Amino acid sequence: LLYRLILKFSLSRENHFTAMICVVWMSLDVQFLYISRLGRQEILLILILLGILNILAQEDLSSRKKGSFAGLLTGLSAGFHPNSFILACMAGLIILAGIAGKKREWKEAILYVLTTAAAASLFVMLSFHFNPDFIRDYRSYGAPLGVLDTPDIKLLKFPAFFSKLYQQVSGTYHTPNIRMQMILFPLFLLLSLIPFKTDSRSFRMTAWYTIPGWAGYCTGLLIIGKYSQPSISFLLPFYFLSASDFLNRLKDHRTLRYALYILFLGTALFFSASDMHQETERFDEYLIKLHRYIPENGRLLSGLHMDFLVPEGQLYDWRNLHFLKEEDISLAQYVDERDIRYILYTEELSYIYRNRPYWNVLYGNTAHWVPQLEQFTEQNCTLLAELESPGYGIRITSLRYTRPWYVKIYQVDN
């Protein structure tokens, strides 16, 4: 889809090779490799975004069909993740920019909004069907993540989001080294605004997508207020689209262009290899160690990342314990009512409790439930094993592999 999109912006056959280089470049990019193997919905949203961009760039489609098809894809993406709203902002600003530049018609924008709203409303209705308190629960979940912050607070947090990405500062999300991308992308965007003697129709078209796409991402992120690190991957299509624009401008400088091909591909490969080399503990081997003590059908209280350890419906997440006080029940009641047989207690919980409230965003306010959990495991459980795990004994990225963190495995006494 990226290859087809790049070619839609060019009439020159010489740009086929540049398009292929950009596809290979993206396949080696550390952010793309990370997000495609994370097991999250962002990679599916990127696929949908590429589909939307291809539709909007399809010249033989009428305005009605462009607006309707792109809106249908955007609306259906709401079934994967709420961040589909960011996709809607990106596509919406691309359409509005086209209208401002007299390249699109208003009916395309109107049909896009109506179709997106109609398709997304299906998932909203399904949410209410399965959970009548959907809005209340969503607000409750989003409040500690910044969704309910006032606009001025969201705006103040906005620069810090990009600063943390650049400096690789994060909570539990792994933040790969994307400094090169964060430097090159703004540079490519600025260069796309500067007319070159070799400029053709392709360069003018690219800028009508990359700049509104970037602006749409920032707008959507600001409105939502949840500054999630994986969401930066939504800019990948625009990054490589703007890169192809830059490389195609150098068609009269063949030696320089081929040197940049090698430089960009080599640098991407280096950063990806370096990032993978840092991960010295294998997750599958970690799971094998845990399976020695926890049977496959054992109901488990642990972090959400242990969903791979037990069958669906057998895992209870630590984050739910934040609501014990609100529901006025004890941890012992919670464990007994759900017939939980095993508890995983990582050293991370003790660290977060000692340094509260700084890390409350991970599992809620630990002041109420961590002491209960420690007391319950000491008095009502049998310690089966204590494993050393420098990579998974703590999920805070800046602390992983800093020392031998430990994981305790408990079995609840009958």
Side-chain angles (χ1 to χ4, degrees), residues 17 47 84 94 116 129 143 159 172 180 206-207 213 216 223 247 258 268 282 292 297 302 309 324 328 332 336 386 396:
F17 188 68
L47 178 64
S84 58
I94 288 171
T116 299
H129 173 73
T172 58
M180 184 180 79
T206 303
I223 293 173
L247 291 170
Y258 278 82
R282 291 177 58 91
R292 294 172 185 168
N297 62 345
S302 179
L309 185 66
L324 290 179
D328 194 26
D336 183 61
E386 185 173 7
I396 300 171

Side-chain angles (χ1 to χ4, degrees), residues 24-228:
V24 175
W25 183 6
M26 184 171 77
S27 71
L28 296 174
D29 183 84
V30 64
Q31 182 68 28
F32 178 79
L33 289 172
Y34 164 63
I35 208 68
S36 61
R37 285 155 178 78
L38 191 61
R40 286 174 57 91
Q41 303 94 325
E42 278 84 1
I43 192 64
L44 295 175
L45 293 184
I46 292 173
L47 178 64
I48 292 172
L49 176 60
L50 283 168
I52 293 169
L53 294 175
N54 271 275
I55 290 171
L56 295 178
Q58 192 69 33
E59 291 192 342
D60 58 357
L61 282 180
S62 66
S63 295
R64 289 189 178 89
K65 289 182 178 179
K66 284 182 182 180
S68 299
F69 293 161
L72 181 62
L73 273 182
T74 306
L76 292 177
S77 69
F80 292 103
H81 198 279
N83 273 348
S84 58
F85 177 76
I86 296 177
L87 268 61
C89 290
M90 289 170 142
L93 282 189
I94 288 171
I95 293 173
L96 289 177
I99 293 172
K102 298 183 179 179
K103 299 177 181 295
R104 299 183 185 275
E105 299 176 353
W106 274 107
K107 57 186 174 184
E108 182 177 341
I110 294 170
L111 283 169
Y112 176 76
V113 171
L114 292 177
T115 312
T116 299
S121 65
L122 294 176
F123 294 102
V124 174
M125 287 188 289
L126 279 173
S127 298
F128 278 114
H129 173 73
F130 290 112
N131 180 12
D133 294 324
F134 164 67
I135 296 296
R136 183 181 67 85
D137 290 346
Y138 184 79
R139 287 171 60 89
S140 177
Y141 170 75
L145 301 176
V147 174
L148 302 183
D149 286 347
T150 56
D152 57 327
I153 297 298
K154 291 180 179 180
L155 189 61
L156 287 172
K157 290 180 178 180
F158 187 68
F161 169 69
F162 290 99
S163 175
K164 288 179 179 179
L165 284 172
Y166 188 84
Q167 298 176 50
Q168 294 180 263
V169 175
S170 177
T172 58
Y173 286 123
H174 173 65
T175 49
N177 188 346
I178 57 171
R179 292 185 179 91
M180 184 180 79
Q181 294 91 319
M182 295 186 73
I183 292 171
L184 288 179
F185 187 39
L187 183 62
F188 290 153
L189 290 180
L190 287 173
L191 289 174
S192 69
L193 296 173
I194 302 172
F196 276 50
K197 290 183 180 179
T198 56
D199 269 3
S200 67
R201 166 181 169 273
S202 65
F203 308 128
R204 292 193 299 272
M205 283 187 65
T206 303
W208 286 105
Y209 285 75
T210 54
I211 294 174
W214 170 80
Y217 170 79
C218 295
T219 302
L221 199 64
L222 271 169
I223 293 173
I224 293 176
K226 181 180 182 291
Y227 295 113
S228 170

